[in-house]
Amino acid sequence: MSAPTTPGPTLPAVSTSADSTRVPTSPVPDSPVSTSQGSATTATVTPTAATTGRRRGGLLDWRVRFAILSVIWGFSFLLIKVGTEAYAPFQVALGRVLFGALALLTVLLVRREPLPRGLRTWGHLTVAALLLNTAPFSLFAYAELSIPSSLAGICNATSPLWGMALSLVALSEDRPTRRRFAGLGLGFLGVLTVLGAWQGFSGVDAKGTAFALLASLCYPIGWIYVRRTLAGTPGSPVALTGGQLMISTLQLALVSAVFTSAPTSFPLWPTLSVIALGALGTGMALQMQYGLVTEVGPTTAQMVTYFIPVIATTAGVLVLGEQLHWNTPVGAAIVLAGAALTQTRPGARRPA
């Protein structure tokens, strides 16, 4: 993730990133992811030259950019873990949205695109920032104080499952099917496998895991809100997300000032991790995702969601030396299979 990955308003997909940030565009089964950082439904933004049309991606083949995006969002959970070694969770989340906002505002400056206008739009972006950035980014940072980054990445992959369950209640046009119900059940069976339910959840920090699952739940709630309130809002996804991250920066700056003390030092690796988490994972990665969606379509682009927990687990084990038990990869595979099933839609009926 989102993942969020994913990463509010954002492009379809995920994703979730953190774990990634999301932006409203054409309605499609979202990832991460939106990512994972999830899979749910997204809203619609008025088409602009920046968001429509199938464009060529430029210097790098889309497959290369897809791989880079997967790695960036997969490593987000490792970066969060390293960041919390020196900074409070709220401060990690603040740095993430701050550097992400700066990255997207730079893109807007180069393109000479304006930020969104209208009090109503900014009011809805304020709620979207809380649900899709401020709350989940803080919760993931707090979760990783007590759980491995690999487990946080897997929890992030449950966003599509939460999204499917919520959309059945909140979105009347999202009709349930037997396959999607099966995916929901399979996905949560995977969660129980990851957590070792047959062992009484021994060895799993309940509080940290609950924070990570709650963070992944925030994304589909935010996507549904965005779909209901920001559909048809003029402006490019970059402008909407840039404005959203600016608001999240203000929210987290206020929270950090109230609940944390200013850092007394700025260790190199934790500081670089927070900068990379924001500038790459929440800034450049989103811009890369937008390019993938316009070039190969949302269905292919959202597949990045399913690589995030794999990369997050691999990074945690190889780089941070986290322990890996057999039930973790097996449960993660079951979660991803369930998430994939929840994103299926009935095919169009052929005329008789």
Side-chain angles (χ1 to χ4, degrees), residues 194-211:
V194 170
L195 300 180
W198 64 92
Q199 299 173 339
F201 303 103
S202 61
V204 176
D205 183 83
K207 183 178 179 181
T209 303
F211 278 164

mmCIF file with all atom_site columns, all heavy atoms in Angstrom, residues 194-211:
data_model
loop_
_atom_site.group_PDB
_atom_site.id
_atom_site.type_symbol
_atom_site.label_atom_id
_atom_site.label_alt_id
_atom_site.label_comp_id
_atom_site.label_asym_id
_atom_site.label_entity_id
_atom_site.label_seq_id
_atom_site.pdbx_PDB_ins_code
_atom_site.Cartn_x
_atom_site.Cartn_y
_atom_site.Cartn_z
_atom_site.occupancy
_atom_site.B_iso_or_equiv
_atom_site.pdbx_formal_charge
_atom_site.auth_seq_id
_atom_site.auth_comp_id
_atom_site.auth_asym_id
_atom_site.auth_atom_id
_atom_site.pdbx_PDB_model_num
ATOM 1   N N   . VAL A 1 194 ? -3.308 -15.028 8.535  1.00 0.00 ? 194 VAL A N   1
ATOM 2   C CA  . VAL A 1 194 ? -2.130 -14.197 8.807  1.00 0.00 ? 194 VAL A CA  1
ATOM 3   C C   . VAL A 1 194 ? -1.937 -14.002 10.308 1.00 0.00 ? 194 VAL A C   1
ATOM 4   O O   . VAL A 1 194 ? -0.806 -14.069 10.824 1.00 0.00 ? 194 VAL A O   1
ATOM 5   C CB  . VAL A 1 194 ? -2.268 -12.820 8.113  1.00 0.00 ? 194 VAL A CB  1
ATOM 6   C CG1 . VAL A 1 194 ? -1.180 -11.870 8.599  1.00 0.00 ? 194 VAL A CG1 1
ATOM 7   C CG2 . VAL A 1 194 ? -2.187 -12.972 6.604  1.00 0.00 ? 194 VAL A CG2 1
ATOM 8   N N   . LEU A 1 195 ? -3.030 -13.803 11.019 1.00 0.00 ? 195 LEU A N   1
ATOM 9   C CA  . LEU A 1 195 ? -2.953 -13.518 12.454 1.00 0.00 ? 195 LEU A CA  1
ATOM 10  C C   . LEU A 1 195 ? -2.815 -14.774 13.312 1.00 0.00 ? 195 LEU A C   1
ATOM 11  O O   . LEU A 1 195 ? -2.635 -14.676 14.521 1.00 0.00 ? 195 LEU A O   1
ATOM 12  C CB  . LEU A 1 195 ? -4.196 -12.728 12.895 1.00 0.00 ? 195 LEU A CB  1
ATOM 13  C CG  . LEU A 1 195 ? -4.408 -11.382 12.205 1.00 0.00 ? 195 LEU A CG  1
ATOM 14  C CD1 . LEU A 1 195 ? -5.662 -10.706 12.734 1.00 0.00 ? 195 LEU A CD1 1
ATOM 15  C CD2 . LEU A 1 195 ? -3.199 -10.471 12.404 1.00 0.00 ? 195 LEU A CD2 1
ATOM 16  N N   . GLY A 1 196 ? -2.905 -15.972 12.688 1.00 0.00 ? 196 GLY A N   1
ATOM 17  C CA  . GLY A 1 196 ? -2.765 -17.211 13.442 1.00 0.00 ? 196 GLY A CA  1
ATOM 18  C C   . GLY A 1 196 ? -3.905 -17.444 14.409 1.00 0.00 ? 196 GLY A C   1
ATOM 19  O O   . GLY A 1 196 ? -3.690 -17.685 15.604 1.00 0.00 ? 196 GLY A O   1
ATOM 20  N N   . ALA A 1 197 ? -5.137 -17.378 13.903 1.00 0.00 ? 197 ALA A N   1
ATOM 21  C CA  . ALA A 1 197 ? -6.316 -17.476 14.774 1.00 0.00 ? 197 ALA A CA  1
ATOM 22  C C   . ALA A 1 197 ? -6.364 -18.804 15.521 1.00 0.00 ? 197 ALA A C   1
ATOM 23  O O   . ALA A 1 197 ? -6.809 -18.864 16.674 1.00 0.00 ? 197 ALA A O   1
ATOM 24  C CB  . ALA A 1 197 ? -7.583 -17.296 13.938 1.00 0.00 ? 197 ALA A CB  1
ATOM 25  N N   . TRP A 1 198 ? -5.904 -19.902 14.888 1.00 0.00 ? 198 TRP A N   1
ATOM 26  C CA  . TRP A 1 198 ? -5.957 -21.216 15.523 1.00 0.00 ? 198 TRP A CA  1
ATOM 27  C C   . TRP A 1 198 ? -5.002 -21.315 16.723 1.00 0.00 ? 198 TRP A C   1
ATOM 28  O O   . TRP A 1 198 ? -5.092 -22.231 17.522 1.00 0.00 ? 198 TRP A O   1
ATOM 29  C CB  . TRP A 1 198 ? -5.625 -22.305 14.504 1.00 0.00 ? 198 TRP A CB  1
ATOM 30  C CG  . TRP A 1 198 ? -4.218 -22.198 13.970 1.00 0.00 ? 198 TRP A CG  1
ATOM 31  C CD1 . TRP A 1 198 ? -3.107 -22.811 14.445 1.00 0.00 ? 198 TRP A CD1 1
ATOM 32  C CD2 . TRP A 1 198 ? -3.792 -21.390 12.881 1.00 0.00 ? 198 TRP A CD2 1
ATOM 33  N NE1 . TRP A 1 198 ? -2.001 -22.440 13.729 1.00 0.00 ? 198 TRP A NE1 1
ATOM 34  C CE2 . TRP A 1 198 ? -2.395 -21.571 12.752 1.00 0.00 ? 198 TRP A CE2 1
ATOM 35  C CE3 . TRP A 1 198 ? -4.435 -20.529 11.994 1.00 0.00 ? 198 TRP A CE3 1
ATOM 36  C CZ2 . TRP A 1 198 ? -1.647 -20.915 11.778 1.00 0.00 ? 198 TRP A CZ2 1
ATOM 37  C CZ3 . TRP A 1 198 ? -3.691 -19.889 11.020 1.00 0.00 ? 198 TRP A CZ3 1
ATOM 38  C CH2 . TRP A 1 198 ? -2.312 -20.076 10.917 1.00 0.00 ? 198 TRP A CH2 1
ATOM 39  N N   . GLN A 1 199 ? -4.072 -20.366 16.835 1.00 0.00 ? 199 GLN A N   1
ATOM 40  C CA  . GLN A 1 199 ? -3.151 -20.328 17.959 1.00 0.00 ? 199 GLN A CA  1
ATOM 41  C C   . GLN A 1 199 ? -3.570 -19.298 19.006 1.00 0.00 ? 199 GLN A C   1
ATOM 42  O O   . GLN A 1 199 ? -2.798 -18.942 19.880 1.00 0.00 ? 199 GLN A O   1
ATOM 43  C CB  . GLN A 1 199 ? -1.735 -19.978 17.467 1.00 0.00 ? 199 GLN A CB  1
ATOM 44  C CG  . GLN A 1 199 ? -1.169 -20.985 16.484 1.00 0.00 ? 199 GLN A CG  1
ATOM 45  C CD  . GLN A 1 199 ? 0.158  -20.533 15.896 1.00 0.00 ? 199 GLN A CD  1
ATOM 46  O OE1 . GLN A 1 199 ? 0.474  -19.339 15.902 1.00 0.00 ? 199 GLN A OE1 1
ATOM 47  N NE2 . GLN A 1 199 ? 0.934  -21.475 15.391 1.00 0.00 ? 199 GLN A NE2 1
ATOM 48  N N   . GLY A 1 200 ? -4.788 -18.805 18.858 1.00 0.00 ? 200 GLY A N   1
ATOM 49  C CA  . GLY A 1 200 ? -5.269 -17.795 19.790 1.00 0.00 ? 200 GLY A CA  1
ATOM 50  C C   . GLY A 1 200 ? -4.625 -16.443 19.589 1.00 0.00 ? 200 GLY A C   1
ATOM 51  O O   . GLY A 1 200 ? -4.520 -15.650 20.520 1.00 0.00 ? 200 GLY A O   1
ATOM 52  N N   . PHE A 1 201 ? -4.183 -16.169 18.327 1.00 0.00 ? 201 PHE A N   1
ATOM 53  C CA  . PHE A 1 201 ? -3.542 -14.895 17.977 1.00 0.00 ? 201 PHE A CA  1
ATOM 54  C C   . PHE A 1 201 ? -2.291 -14.639 18.815 1.00 0.00 ? 201 PHE A C   1
ATOM 55  O O   . PHE A 1 201 ? -1.931 -13.490 19.069 1.00 0.00 ? 201 PHE A O   1
ATOM 56  C CB  . PHE A 1 201 ? -4.516 -13.724 18.138 1.00 0.00 ? 201 PHE A CB  1
ATOM 57  C CG  . PHE A 1 201 ? -5.775 -13.870 17.331 1.00 0.00 ? 201 PHE A CG  1
ATOM 58  C CD1 . PHE A 1 201 ? -6.957 -14.260 17.947 1.00 0.00 ? 201 PHE A CD1 1
ATOM 59  C CD2 . PHE A 1 201 ? -5.782 -13.661 15.962 1.00 0.00 ? 201 PHE A CD2 1
ATOM 60  C CE1 . PHE A 1 201 ? -8.125 -14.409 17.211 1.00 0.00 ? 201 PHE A CE1 1
ATOM 61  C CE2 . PHE A 1 201 ? -6.942 -13.811 15.223 1.00 0.00 ? 201 PHE A CE2 1
ATOM 62  C CZ  . PHE A 1 201 ? -8.117 -14.183 15.842 1.00 0.00 ? 201 PHE A CZ  1
ATOM 63  N N   . SER A 1 202 ? -1.643 -15.701 19.267 1.00 0.00 ? 202 SER A N   1
ATOM 64  C CA  . SER A 1 202 ? -0.439 -15.535 20.086 1.00 0.00 ? 202 SER A CA  1
ATOM 65  C C   . SER A 1 202 ? 0.681  -14.918 19.255 1.00 0.00 ? 202 SER A C   1
ATOM 66  O O   . SER A 1 202 ? 0.867  -15.236 18.083 1.00 0.00 ? 202 SER A O   1
ATOM 67  C CB  . SER A 1 202 ? 0.023  -16.890 20.638 1.00 0.00 ? 202 SER A CB  1
ATOM 68  O OG  . SER A 1 202 ? 0.349  -17.783 19.585 1.00 0.00 ? 202 SER A OG  1
ATOM 69  N N   . GLY A 1 203 ? 1.420  -14.013 19.874 1.00 0.00 ? 203 GLY A N   1
ATOM 70  C CA  . GLY A 1 203 ? 2.531  -13.370 19.189 1.00 0.00 ? 203 GLY A CA  1
ATOM 71  C C   . GLY A 1 203 ? 2.128  -12.182 18.346 1.00 0.00 ? 203 GLY A C   1
ATOM 72  O O   . GLY A 1 203 ? 2.985  -11.538 17.738 1.00 0.00 ? 203 GLY A O   1
ATOM 73  N N   . VAL A 1 204 ? 0.845  -11.876 18.298 1.00 0.00 ? 204 VAL A N   1
ATOM 74  C CA  . VAL A 1 204 ? 0.358  -10.746 17.506 1.00 0.00 ? 204 VAL A CA  1
ATOM 75  C C   . VAL A 1 204 ? -0.063 -9.629  18.447 1.00 0.00 ? 204 VAL A C   1
ATOM 76  O O   . VAL A 1 204 ? -0.835 -9.861  19.388 1.00 0.00 ? 204 VAL A O   1
ATOM 77  C CB  . VAL A 1 204 ? -0.833 -11.159 16.616 1.00 0.00 ? 204 VAL A CB  1
ATOM 78  C CG1 . VAL A 1 204 ? -1.390 -9.950  15.874 1.00 0.00 ? 204 VAL A CG1 1
ATOM 79  C CG2 . VAL A 1 204 ? -0.409 -12.234 15.632 1.00 0.00 ? 204 VAL A CG2 1
ATOM 80  N N   . ASP A 1 205 ? 0.453  -8.438  18.219 1.00 0.00 ? 205 ASP A N   1
ATOM 81  C CA  . ASP A 1 205 ? 0.051  -7.301  19.039 1.00 0.00 ? 205 ASP A CA  1
ATOM 82  C C   . ASP A 1 205 ? -1.337 -6.835  18.601 1.00 0.00 ? 205 ASP A C   1
ATOM 83  O O   . ASP A 1 205 ? -1.520 -6.342  17.476 1.00 0.00 ? 205 ASP A O   1
ATOM 84  C CB  . ASP A 1 205 ? 1.055  -6.156  18.886 1.00 0.00 ? 205 ASP A CB  1
ATOM 85  C CG  . ASP A 1 205 ? 0.717  -4.977  19.790 1.00 0.00 ? 205 ASP A CG  1
ATOM 86  O OD1 . ASP A 1 205 ? 1.081  -5.018  20.976 1.00 0.00 ? 205 ASP A OD1 1
ATOM 87  O OD2 . ASP A 1 205 ? 0.075  -4.033  19.302 1.00 0.00 ? 205 ASP A OD2 1
ATOM 88  N N   . ALA A 1 206 ? -2.304 -7.010  19.472 1.00 0.00 ? 206 ALA A N   1
ATOM 89  C CA  . ALA A 1 206 ? -3.699 -6.735  19.116 1.00 0.00 ? 206 ALA A CA  1
ATOM 90  C C   . ALA A 1 206 ? -3.927 -5.256  18.809 1.00 0.00 ? 206 ALA A C   1
ATOM 91  O O   . ALA A 1 206 ? -4.627 -4.907  17.848 1.00 0.00 ? 206 ALA A O   1
ATOM 92  C CB  . ALA A 1 206 ? -4.625 -7.184  20.243 1.00 0.00 ? 206 ALA A CB  1
ATOM 93  N N   . LYS A 1 207 ? -3.322 -4.380  19.620 1.00 0.00 ? 207 LYS A N   1
ATOM 94  C CA  . LYS A 1 207 ? -3.546 -2.949  19.438 1.00 0.00 ? 207 LYS A CA  1
ATOM 95  C C   . LYS A 1 207 ? -2.967 -2.479  18.114 1.00 0.00 ? 207 LYS A C   1
ATOM 96  O O   . LYS A 1 207 ? -3.628 -1.766  17.343 1.00 0.00 ? 207 LYS A O   1
ATOM 97  C CB  . LYS A 1 207 ? -2.923 -2.177  20.595 1.00 0.00 ? 207 LYS A CB  1
ATOM 98  C CG  . LYS A 1 207 ? -3.153 -0.671  20.537 1.00 0.00 ? 207 LYS A CG  1
ATOM 99  C CD  . LYS A 1 207 ? -2.539 0.014   21.749 1.00 0.00 ? 207 LYS A CD  1
ATOM 100 C CE  . LYS A 1 207 ? -2.736 1.528   21.699 1.00 0.00 ? 207 LYS A CE  1
ATOM 101 N NZ  . LYS A 1 207 ? -2.118 2.198   22.873 1.00 0.00 ? 207 LYS A NZ  1
ATOM 102 N N   . GLY A 1 208 ? -1.722 -2.852  17.829 1.00 0.00 ? 208 GLY A N   1
ATOM 103 C CA  . GLY A 1 208 ? -1.093 -2.434  16.581 1.00 0.00 ? 208 GLY A CA  1
ATOM 104 C C   . GLY A 1 208 ? -1.821 -2.978  15.365 1.00 0.00 ? 208 GLY A C   1
ATOM 105 O O   . GLY A 1 208 ? -2.019 -2.263  14.371 1.00 0.00 ? 208 GLY A O   1
ATOM 106 N N   . THR A 1 209 ? -2.248 -4.247  15.429 1.00 0.00 ? 209 THR A N   1
ATOM 107 C CA  . THR A 1 209 ? -2.975 -4.844  14.310 1.00 0.00 ? 209 THR A CA  1
ATOM 108 C C   . THR A 1 209 ? -4.311 -4.155  14.109 1.00 0.00 ? 209 THR A C   1
ATOM 109 O O   . THR A 1 209 ? -4.734 -3.902  12.970 1.00 0.00 ? 209 THR A O   1
ATOM 110 C CB  . THR A 1 209 ? -3.195 -6.343  14.561 1.00 0.00 ? 209 THR A CB  1
ATOM 111 O OG1 . THR A 1 209 ? -1.931 -6.986  14.776 1.00 0.00 ? 209 THR A OG1 1
ATOM 112 C CG2 . THR A 1 209 ? -3.881 -6.993  13.362 1.00 0.00 ? 209 THR A CG2 1
ATOM 113 N N   . ALA A 1 210 ? -4.993 -3.836  15.209 1.00 0.00 ? 210 ALA A N   1
ATOM 114 C CA  . ALA A 1 210 ? -6.279 -3.130  15.113 1.00 0.00 ? 210 ALA A CA  1
ATOM 115 C C   . ALA A 1 210 ? -6.098 -1.759  14.475 1.00 0.00 ? 210 ALA A C   1
ATOM 116 O O   . ALA A 1 210 ? -6.918 -1.344  13.639 1.00 0.00 ? 210 ALA A O   1
ATOM 117 C CB  . ALA A 1 210 ? -6.910 -2.996  16.490 1.00 0.00 ? 210 ALA A CB  1
ATOM 118 N N   . PHE A 1 211 ? -5.020 -1.059  14.824 1.00 0.00 ? 211 PHE A N   1
ATOM 119 C CA  . PHE A 1 211 ? -4.747 0.240   14.218 1.00 0.00 ? 211 PHE A CA  1
ATOM 120 C C   . PHE A 1 211 ? -4.540 0.099   12.706 1.00 0.00 ? 211 PHE A C   1
ATOM 121 O O   . PHE A 1 211 ? -5.040 0.914   11.920 1.00 0.00 ? 211 PHE A O   1
ATOM 122 C CB  . PHE A 1 211 ? -3.500 0.869   14.845 1.00 0.00 ? 211 PHE A CB  1
ATOM 123 C CG  . PHE A 1 211 ? -3.759 1.566   16.153 1.00 0.00 ? 211 PHE A CG  1
ATOM 124 C CD1 . PHE A 1 211 ? -2.710 1.896   17.006 1.00 0.00 ? 211 PHE A CD1 1
ATOM 125 C CD2 . PHE A 1 211 ? -5.044 1.896   16.551 1.00 0.00 ? 211 PHE A CD2 1
ATOM 126 C CE1 . PHE A 1 211 ? -2.934 2.545   18.206 1.00 0.00 ? 211 PHE A CE1 1
ATOM 127 C CE2 . PHE A 1 211 ? -5.285 2.546   17.753 1.00 0.00 ? 211 PHE A CE2 1
ATOM 128 C CZ  . PHE A 1 211 ? -4.232 2.869   18.589 1.00 0.00 ? 211 PHE A CZ  1
#
